[in-house]
Amino acid sequence: VTMFGLKQWYQRRVAITAGGGIIAMSSYLPLRNTLEATGTVSENRDVRILMCHGTADPVVDHSFGQASSRLLRKYSTNVTFKTYPGLMHGACPEELTDIKKFIEERVREVS
């Protein structure tokens, strides 16, 4: 299972098999202050996370995404944060290529 989301979707409690992953585009952790209390930290320590964010995003500031990735890295080494210079709140070919690669790697691991 791979979860994919744009914006703040991952404020919900999520449990995923270790073979899958999370893709978060232009996102941040709005419930960051309650992350440990939710119990999801230990349940999802091995889940791979790809976070993608543009530097020109006017909706969710790039620094929010960066801060969220730093917080997640306190609990897991499986967090990758990708920055796309000049990208607003959307997607670009480089980002889509990174997402495709992330999914292909997860599919290979599970097969």
Side-chain angles (χ1 to χ4, degrees):
V1 175
T2 297
M3 300 223 24
F4 178 79
L6 178 65
K7 297 189 357 185
Q8 306 163 31
W9 73 272
Y10 62 112
Q11 63 186 311
R12 297 176 188 89
R13 183 180 168 134
V14 177
I16 301 173
T17 60
I22 296 172
I23 300 167
M25 298 169 63
S26 302
S27 300
Y28 73 105
L29 289 170
L31 301 177
R32 63 196 162 279
N33 296 331
T34 60
L35 185 63
E36 287 184 6
T38 64
T40 58
V41 172
S42 59
E43 292 175 17
N44 295 297
R45 190 172 306 280
D46 296 328
V47 174
R48 288 162 182 83
I49 301 171
L50 172 63
M51 298 180 72
C52 304
H53 215 116
T55 58
D57 189 333
V59 178
V60 178
D61 194 89
H62 182 261
S63 64
F64 290 8
Q66 283 181 314
S68 295
S69 72
R70 283 193 299 273
L71 176 62
L72 290 170
R73 284 187 186 121
K74 289 182 180 180
Y75 305 105
S76 173
T77 58
N78 294 319
V79 179
T80 301
F81 186 83
K82 297 271 191 171
T83 296
Y84 304 92
L87 180 64
M88 296 182 76
H89 196 72
C92 66
E94 182 185 359
E95 180 180 27
L96 296 175
T97 298
D98 289 338
I99 290 168
K100 179 179 182 274
K101 180 180 173 188
F102 181 84
I103 292 170
E104 288 172 346
E105 289 170 354
R106 306 290 78 75
V107 170
R108 266 193 242 107
E109 286 180 9
V110 174
S111 328

